[in-house]
Amino acid sequence: MNHGEIVNFLWGVADLIRDTFKRGKYQDVILPLTVLRRLDCVLAPTKEKVLAKQAEMRGKKLENLDPQLRKVSGFAFYNTSRYDFDKLLADAPHLAANLRNYIAGFSPNMREVLEKFDFDNTISKLDEAGLLFQVLERFKNVDLHPDQIDNPTMGTIFEELIRKFNEALNENPGEHFTPRDVVHLMVDLMLAGDEDRIRRERVIRTVFDPCCGSGGMLLITKEHITIGLRKNGNILRAPVNPGAEIHLFGQEVNPETWAVSKSDLFMKDPTGRDADNIAYGSTLSNDRHSGKSFDYLIANPPYGKDWKRDEDAVRAEHERGASGRFAPGLPRISDGQLLFLLHMLGHAKDPKDGGSRIAIIMNGSPLFTGDAGSGESEIRRYILENDLLEALIALPEQLFYNTGIATYVWVVTNRKAPSRRGKVQLIDATSFWVPMPKSLGDKRRQIPLDRAQEILKILTDFKDGHTCMVTKDGKKEEAVVSKVFSTTHFGFRKITVERPLRLNFQAIPERVARLKEERGFLALAQSKKKGAAGAKEQAEGRAQQEAVRAFVRTLPSTPFRDRREFEGLINSTSQGRGLKLSAPLYKAILSALSERDETAAICLDSEGNPEPDPELRDTETVPLSERVEDFFEREVKPHVPDAWIDTEKRDLKDGRVGIIGYEINFNRYFYRYTPPRPLEEIETDIRSIEQDILRMLGEMTGSGVGSG
């Protein structure tokens, strides 16, 4: 059976358990039993030897049996139970107890893996429903030995099953597994230009994935280097260095996928070294690889997923500044993608130690979400001002199983080639796809090897304005697919532009009536005291309100277009009436009697400076390549001569006027204008549709409307 047939065979267990398990719980049965059957097949050739060695060593009263049993099994794990799948099924009445005995017989490192499935409860549930024998028998009938199903194919089977579980659970777009075509491309982009480094004799390289899932990205990276690019067991491209020693590291928060990854790596590497390097827990709040740095880092973090569960730890680490991973900034709580990128940068090797290359895939949000000064903008600022971003590649939509949204690969490195320093390459690969033979969830497109190699070549050629033939709306056309910009091109200063406040004042009835809505006026009749004292204070306040109303009605109804003149009138009149106006009440009167008036004199503050009008306040974004003053004189002053820049709003880092922000509006750089259809053509279509409607109405009513 090929991997698709095996997935369907295993998924067929759902037909047996659907009345006992909800659809979202199928994975509680299928995933652990798939792992167990694989382990059973892998250990079968040496099972009797392990049991014999165990008996021999116990006879010698040796305590530490682990090293010898590992050696005999040929793996970093073993099983000392006398049971296997055949023997379990041969004793049906005691199947549940024997299955527990079988699981308990695994070496401690593999028991730790299996415990993450919480399989004991599932055994009880299957046993109570009378399904345990049928389900185990089904798994016994599929041979998952590596001689039949090689490791890459088994990895694909695991990930296909996980995809089906996610679909059954209706997981959000942030919970997805990365299709193989995307992973192969990401690995190529990450390793691009490093071939000579990897080909060195006795070279050792480390690869890290902070949200490794079932381990696909790590394993494919290792394969590209040591085995080559292969499909269905066939080598399509030679390895970079078959003799390279590649050490894998990862972390995963989901217990089931962690267990799949760990068990798979135990079976792939007899030493168990890579499996031991896969840590369990939340990467953001519990960094299990703290203090380590890696040569290559690759990840597909969850899209649009909040980081509330990690918030306290993340904020505390941010407050530590440069000694923590999150010093540059924190994104909004609803989306933690950029935190994973900062985490990866925190684990990059220092350039003097060889530096690192990073490939991370994210949706569009990290490119432009967040205004100047926001956490997202500050993270982009850190990456661009430190010249860490090498390239951004826009991928086709509909590549993923659980979401069709646009995605982008960020290629990040702290050791750019000299020709790339201070520059960023944008690659529009949205047209580099072919349709899937059969849709899988939302995945309707794939990137074939030849198109992936084109993308890789565009990256390595590093040519601004590179063009190629693309298909758009069913038509082939030549389009620019690569552009190169300076890192400062994406930065700007956000300045605040103020305009003067201009008010007229008039004591007419409709404005006087507005007094009752002013906070300073309402406060007169309010009291914090209770009982009689409070009632007395409120009554006194209402009397004062009436006195103020009476005073305001005595003011002239003619309009005043100079605030200072009107303030002088209020002051002299109130003093003449012996009325004392508090600052809040004075402000309430001015507010109620005023309206904006472009013909009025500018309102001045106590120091004689123009007072800004909050309603006319605006902002402008000034490219970093231009002086703020020059931009203002050219773009603002000719249109609003009375405007000025608020020089108090300055960037916290460089102290200059305007707050620095960074964003990459990718689509703007590759926008292709599509002219509208000719008006005559649209009119012809409308008339044709009208005739069709009239004809159908005529057929329904039998009136013959529109015929002839």
Side-chain angles (χ1 to χ4, degrees):
M1 291 189 288
N2 61 37
H3 83 271
E5 291 169 332
I6 292 174
V7 168
N8 291 333
F9 179 82
L10 296 175
W11 186 253
V13 171
D15 295 330
L16 298 173
I17 64 175
R18 66 174 72 253
D19 294 330
T20 305
F21 290 81
K22 293 180 181 179
R23 184 172 173 81
K25 294 292 185 179
Y26 292 172
Q27 70 182 53
D28 294 354
V29 177
I30 297 173
L31 208 54
L33 280 173
T34 302
V35 172
L36 272 178
R37 180 58 180 151
R38 176 75 162 175
L39 294 173
D40 192 61
C41 293
V42 165
L43 293 177
T46 59
K47 181 67 180 272
E48 294 304 321
K49 292 180 181 178
V50 168
L51 294 177
K53 175 59 73 171
Q54 181 194 35
E56 174 194 332
M57 295 176 71
R58 278 184 174 171
K60 296 179 180 179
K61 297 183 179 180
L62 297 175
E63 292 185 4
N64 186 12
L65 311 182
D66 193 72
Q68 289 296 322
L69 294 180
R70 286 189 183 200
K71 186 176 180 181
V72 174
S73 78
F75 293 93
F77 64 97
Y78 49 86
N79 186 292
T80 57
S81 166
R82 67 185 182 87
Y83 293 103
D84 55 21
F85 269 53
D86 286 324
K87 290 186 175 69
L88 286 169
L89 291 167
D91 185 11
H94 306 102
L95 181 55
N98 294 342
L99 180 55
R100 289 188 171 97
N101 175 276
Y102 172 66
I103 293 170
F106 279 99
S107 52
N109 56 359
M110 189 56 76
R111 276 206 312 275
E112 179 195 16
V113 170
L114 296 173
E115 283 168 3
K116 288 295 188 292
F117 289 117
D118 194 22
F119 192 49
D120 194 71
N121 290 331
T122 302
I123 293 173
S124 298
K125 199 167 183 180
L126 286 169
D127 192 37
E128 290 166 8
L131 293 170
L132 187 58
F133 183 88
Q134 296 176 63
V135 170
L136 209 66
E137 185 179 42
R138 187 173 185 89
F139 278 91
K140 183 256 181 187
N141 289 330
V142 61
D143 187 354
L144 299 181
H145 191 280
D147 291 344
Q148 300 297 320
I149 308 294
D150 63 21
N151 287 329
T153 304
M154 195 65 221
T156 302
I157 289 170
F158 278 130
E159 292 185 334
E160 282 282 296
L161 287 171
I162 291 168
R163 177 183 67 80
K164 283 181 172 287
F165 299 142
N166 283 348
E167 287 179 355
L169 288 166
N170 291 319
E171 292 283 6
N172 66 52
E175 301 295 330
H176 53 264
F177 122 84
T178 316
R180 286 289 198 244
D181 54 333
V182 177
V183 179
H184 284 297
L185 174 61
M186 289 180 67
V187 171
D188 279 344
L189 295 170
M190 178 177 67
L191 299 180
D194 265 23
E195 293 79 7
D196 289 342
R197 286 172 172 260
I198 299 171
R199 288 192 185 107
R200 294 171 186 168
E201 193 174 351
R202 292 190 293 276
V203 69
I204 299 173
R205 289 291 180 265
T206 53
V207 186
F208 174 57
D209 183 346
C211 34
C212 63
S214 56
M217 286 189 166
L218 291 171
L219 292 166
I220 288 176
T221 302
K222 188 170 185 174
E223 282 184 13
H224 275 229
I225 295 172
T226 61
I227 298 173
L229 175 61
R230 61 178 172 179
K231 185 177 181 182
N232 299 327
N234 299 316
I235 302 296
L236 304 180
R237 192 177 65 209
V240 181
N241 182 357
E245 189 174 333
I246 307 299
H247 297 194
L248 305 181
F249 295 81
Q251 186 162 340
E252 173 58 31
V253 69
N254 181 282
E256 289 86 5
T257 48
W258 174 83
V260 168
S261 174
K262 190 103 166 172
S263 63
D264 203 27
L265 283 169
F266 269 129
M267 288 180 270
K268 284 178 170 62
D269 177 14
T271 70
R273 181 194 63 209
D274 288 340
D276 289 338
N277 291 335
I278 305 300
Y280 173 69
S282 173
T283 294
L284 300 182
S285 59
N286 182 19
D287 182 5
R288 299 286 303 279
H289 294 290
S290 180
K292 297 187 182 80
S293 58
F294 308 99
D295 298 292
Y296 300 103
L297 304 96
I298 188 167
N300 179 11
Y303 304 159
K305 189 173 182 181
D306 69 62
W307 44 282
K308 289 178 183 175
R309 61 178 288 179
D310 302 306
E311 183 175 5
D312 291 344
V314 168
R315 291 195 184 281
E317 189 163 349
H318 171 66
E319 294 300 321
R320 281 166 39 198
S323 63
R325 295 168 291 169
F326 309 121
L330 299 179
R332 62 200 62 200
I333 195 74
S334 60
D335 189 355
Q337 292 177 88
L338 283 169
L339 290 178
F340 283 94
L341 178 52
L342 288 179
H343 170 79
M344 294 165 85
L345 286 168
H347 284 281
K349 284 189 173 181
D350 191 286
K352 71 177 186 299
D353 297 323
S356 300
R357 285 182 67 80
I358 297 170
I360 181 172
I361 187 168
M362 298 186 280
N363 66 15
S365 179
L367 292 174
F368 50 77
T369 298
D371 201 358
S374 68
E376 293 92 346
S377 179
E378 285 298 294
I379 294 170
R380 291 190 291 267
R381 178 179 183 176
Y382 172 80
I383 291 167
L384 288 161
E385 289 187 351
N386 286 281
D387 199 14
L388 298 171
L389 182 60
E390 180 174 290
L392 272 172
I393 299 92
L395 298 183
E397 296 179 353
Q398 301 177 38
L399 281 183
F400 290 86
Y401 299 112
N402 291 49
T403 176
I405 60 175
T407 51
Y408 302 81
V409 177
W410 296 49
V411 180
V412 179
T413 182
N414 56 6
R415 52 172 174 82
K416 283 186 180 182
S419 61
R420 287 183 176 268
R421 287 174 191 161
K423 297 174 183 177
V424 175
Q425 183 180 14
L426 304 186
I427 298 174
D428 179 11
T430 54
S431 300
F432 289 58
W433 58 272
V434 296
M436 292 278 289
K438 180 184 176 183
S439 295
L440 293 172
D442 289 323
K443 183 173 176 61
R444 299 178 181 89
R445 299 171 177 175
Q446 60 184 343
I447 303 174
L449 178 59
D450 60 331
R451 301 315 306 268
Q453 292 306 298
E454 286 182 57
I455 298 170
L456 184 61
K457 188 174 187 306
I458 293 168
L459 175 77
T460 54
D461 286 350
F462 189 52
K463 182 180 176 183
D464 183 33
H466 179 94
T467 63
C468 68
M469 296 301 295
V470 301
T471 302
K472 184 184 179 188
D473 300 327
K475 299 178 182 177
K476 282 194 172 290
E477 61 180 59
E478 189 169 11
V480 174
V481 294
S482 171
K483 292 191 175 183
V484 177
F485 298 96
S486 68
T487 54
T488 56
H489 176 83
F490 306 104
F492 58 89
R493 285 187 185 274
K494 184 178 179 181
I495 60 171
T496 300
V497 176
E498 301 282 15
R499 293 184 62 191
L501 179 66
R502 298 174 187 267
L503 301 171
N504 68 40
F505 300 85
Q506 197 172 9
I508 54 178
E510 55 265 34
R511 297 193 188 184
V512 173
R514 295 201 299 239
L515 252 181
K516 64 182 180 182
E517 300 169 3
E518 294 291 335
R519 186 180 300 174
F521 181 79
L522 291 170
L524 292 174
Q526 295 171 349
S527 174
K528 293 182 179 179
K529 295 179 181 178
K530 296 181 180 180
K536 179 183 178 184
E537 204 169 77
Q538 290 173 358
E540 291 172 352
R542 285 192 292 272
Q544 191 176 359
Q545 284 179 332
E546 285 304 317
V548 171
R549 281 196 187 96
F551 158 68
V552 171
R553 291 190 188 104
T554 66
L555 297 174
S557 60
T558 54
F560 287 76
R561 288 184 168 79
D562 187 319
R563 188 172 68 180
R564 285 195 171 183
E565 182 183 349
F566 188 66
E567 287 176 335
L569 174 68
I570 290 178
N571 291 333
S572 60
T573 307
S574 61
Q575 288 172 9
R577 295 174 66 92
L579 185 65
K580 187 175 181 181
L581 301 177
S582 64
L585 184 57
Y586 189 85
K587 183 179 178 181
I589 293 170
L590 288 177
S591 176
L593 301 184
S594 67
E595 284 186 355
R596 282 172 171 76
D597 183 350
E598 290 184 2
T599 66
I602 294 173
C603 297
L604 304 176
D605 62 20
S606 59
E607 297 178 359
N609 298 315
E611 189 175 318
D613 185 344
E615 291 190 8
L616 297 179
R617 183 171 294 138
D618 200 0
T619 59
E620 295 283 347
T621 55
V622 183
L624 288 183
S625 57
E626 188 166 2
R627 290 179 69 249
V628 166
E629 295 77 13
D630 294 342
F631 177 92
F632 181 76
E633 290 297 325
R634 186 185 72 251
E635 299 292 338
V636 180
K637 269 288 190 181
H639 308 289
V640 277
D642 59 358
W644 72 91
I645 300 172
D646 182 355
T647 56
E648 295 301 312
K649 289 190 170 58
R650 295 174 175 266
D651 188 77
L652 292 175
K653 290 182 178 175
D654 70 6
R656 293 166 58 186
V657 172
I659 299 170
I660 286 182
Y662 278 86
E663 68 175 22
I664 305 174
N665 193 331
F666 199 98
N667 292 334
R668 179 195 304 162
Y669 302 114
F670 293 97
Y671 173 75
R672 292 194 287 273
Y673 173 72
T674 303
R677 295 166 62 201
L679 187 59
E680 297 79 9
E681 187 179 318
I682 297 172
E683 288 177 344
T684 301
D685 284 350
I686 292 173
R687 283 196 294 270
S688 175
I689 293 168
E690 287 175 344
Q691 288 299 313
D692 287 343
I693 293 171
L694 289 171
R695 177 180 53 76
M696 287 187 285
L697 285 172
E699 291 173 355
M700 291 172 64
T701 61
S703 63
V705 177
S707 62

